[in-house]
Amino acid sequence: MSRAFLIVMDSVGIGGARDAERFFNDGRPDTGANTLGHIAEACAAGRAEEGRTGPLRLPVLDRLGFGAAAELASGTRPAGLDAAPQGLWGAANEVSKGKDTPSGHWELAGVPVPWEWHYFPSVTNSFPPDLVAAVARAAGTEGILGNCHAPGTAIIERLGAEHLRTGWPICYTSADSVFQIAAHEESFGLARLLKLCEDVAPILHGMRVGRVIARPFVGAPGAFTRTPNRRDFAIAPPAPTLLDWATRAGRTTHAIGKIGDIFSHRGVSHLHKGKSDADLMDHLIRLATEAEEGSLTFANFVEFDSLYGHRRDISGYARALEWFDARAGEFLARLGHGDLAIFTADHGNDPSWTGTDHTRERVPVLGWGYGARAVGQVGYVDVAASVAAHLGLGAEGPGRSFIE
């Protein structure tokens, strides 16, 4: 019996989305966005020299077919990624009407989103009065702070002192279908913040808002920092996913990072969390040795997106990719005969692009365990069908396996 490892490099898109013109950043369509391609271009031109230097170096992933997949997706080979593929490689297209975490992950797990997400388009006074009142009641306060679009670190810096003075939660959103609540772990209380998010999540989910996110922080004015105790309260997938298929067949599933939250902890046997992607990689490498026969390990590495994509930090994104590539080599060296590992992404987040939102892009599909194999243009749902086929599970979604 074989094992499968599905690894999401959060936001590592490769350009070329056929419907990119329908998605926007600050009024600019995502046409031409290419996370990997533009990072590689900046590195080759000497414009990504903070904490690293020279062309982008990803020898492990490139040998699997990273450069070839990017060329298939966008028509352009990323600078420096010119290896002949030795693994399974292709590019995946999304059909869900979103460029966010739940849409991408659910579809990779076999379930496209059947509805339109609800967004809060107004940059200020973003939330309707009845929602503001409901959150304040649940918090036991006279009101809320924020009520706007904002980057998380910036709004904590701006409103943290007032939050400490009033005790009111800081509520904000973005271009994503999300409602975020920031509060001080000590003065407001972490347990109280999590309970608040849990209590208001059904209201937001009823509106088709994808996630309510707890954003705890600590410190004093001028020195506030977010803690690793973030928690996402996501709307449940509308149908059984790859994780459900596996657990119903009696298989063990391991969820690394945000996977448990993204899937409302459905179909998860064991959860592996950490304070950083480095911690999560340690879990993945350990499970390469310890995961049970017939098991599914599903991992998300979020820092490409959260620390570098949204902050439009090209050097930081390049550093993270090079770090990940080296550790991926350690992981692959521990896999055995019959194992499958697939590296992919959920959307793009081009750090060279306008605005701070995700970008609509195709994503890579890079596989270890089936030799050199070009699978061409596939769907996100085909990833789930292929993993299911490898594990001998009955796929229930619309995807078609590319390994059979």
Side-chain angles (χ1 to χ4, degrees):
M1 192 179 292
S2 308
R3 304 179 302 171
F5 298 82
L6 179 54
I7 302 150
V8 178
M9 303 177 293
D10 203 303
S11 86
V12 184
I14 52 176
R18 55 196 171 195
D19 58 356
E21 76 282 354
R22 300 179 186 176
F23 297 84
F24 295 85
N25 262 278
D26 282 358
R28 177 188 181 187
D30 287 342
T31 307
N34 187 333
T35 300
L36 179 65
H38 288 153
I39 292 170
E41 179 183 343
C43 290
R47 292 184 280 108
E49 297 287 304
E50 296 176 20
R52 61 165 308 282
T53 190
L56 186 65
R57 298 176 181 87
L58 305 174
V60 174
L61 295 176
D62 196 25
R63 279 196 300 270
L64 290 179
F66 209 2
E71 185 173 13
L72 175 66
S74 64
T76 301
R77 190 85 168 209
L81 303 187
D82 53 8
Q86 299 175 25
L88 179 152
W89 63 278
N93 298 278
E94 184 175 11
V95 299
S96 299
K97 296 178 181 178
K99 51 175 179 175
D100 50 67
T101 295
S103 297
H105 282 78
W106 292 0
E107 195 166 326
L108 287 168
V111 181
V113 180
W115 56 67
E116 297 248 5
W117 294 109
H118 179 81
Y119 299 92
F120 300 104
S122 298
V123 174
T124 58
N125 294 319
S126 301
F127 310 125
D130 57 343
L131 176 59
V132 171
V135 174
R137 281 196 304 273
T141 59
E142 295 180 5
I144 66 170
L145 303 175
N147 193 4
C148 62
H149 284 225
T153 52
I155 199 167
I156 291 169
E157 181 179 345
R158 178 165 62 88
L159 295 177
E162 187 175 356
H163 165 72
L164 290 176
R165 180 178 60 81
T166 64
W168 292 11
I170 303 170
C171 302
Y172 61 104
T173 188
S174 68
D176 289 345
S177 179
V178 65
F179 186 88
Q180 305 195 66
I181 306 179
H184 199 279
E185 277 198 5
E186 296 162 358
S187 67
F188 191 89
L190 178 60
R192 181 184 173 197
L193 171 61
L194 297 178
K195 180 66 164 55
L196 170 60
C197 291
E198 183 179 15
D199 288 346
V200 302
I203 301 172
L204 276 301
H205 294 166
M207 300 168 64
R208 298 299 191 202
V209 174
R211 287 177 293 163
V212 175
I213 304 179
R215 290 289 198 175
F217 64 97
V218 293
F224 291 122
T225 58
R226 295 200 294 197
T227 78
N229 294 320
R230 161 183 170 161
R231 183 169 172 191
D232 293 32
F233 296 81
I235 191 171
T241 71
L242 175 63
L243 288 163
D244 298 307
W245 309 343
T247 53
R248 288 197 316 215
R251 308 298 181 83
T252 300
T253 60
H254 296 275
I256 297 177
K258 296 199 309 179
I259 296 299
D261 290 341
I262 293 167
F263 290 91
S264 296
H265 297 274
R266 210 173 68 189
V268 175
S269 306
H270 301 288
L271 186 63
H272 308 268
K273 303 283 276 188
K275 295 182 178 180
S276 66
D277 276 4
D279 292 341
L280 303 184
M281 182 60 79
D282 288 342
H283 287 311
L284 180 64
I285 291 173
R286 174 178 53 80
L287 288 169
T289 301
E290 297 179 3
E292 301 83 354
E293 286 296 306
S295 64
L296 167 65
T297 297
F298 198 167
N300 169 279
F301 289 87
V302 71
E303 290 180 355
F304 301 114
D305 184 61
S306 62
L307 298 186
Y308 309 114
H310 286 299
R311 299 180 188 184
R312 297 304 190 245
D313 181 352
I314 297 175
S315 293
Y317 210 131
R319 289 196 309 272
L321 284 168
E322 291 172 336
W323 166 84
F324 182 88
D325 188 82
R327 299 303 307 274
E330 296 179 48
F331 160 70
L332 293 175
R334 287 164 171 77
L335 298 183
H337 178 73
D339 289 336
L340 168 68
I342 291 181
F343 297 88
T344 186
D346 52 345
H347 48 71
N349 200 347
D350 187 339
S352 74
W353 210 245
T354 304
T356 61
D357 189 19
H358 299 146
T359 43
R360 181 73 163 189
E361 302 178 39
R362 290 179 169 126
V363 299
V365 176
L366 310 175
W368 183 98
Y370 279 80
R373 178 182 298 201
V375 299
Q377 298 273 359
V378 299
Y380 278 35
V381 290
D382 298 336
V383 173
S386 302
V387 172
H390 176 78
L391 292 174
L393 305 175
E396 303 173 24
R400 299 179 62 183
S401 171
F402 47 69
I403 65 171
E404 295 179 312

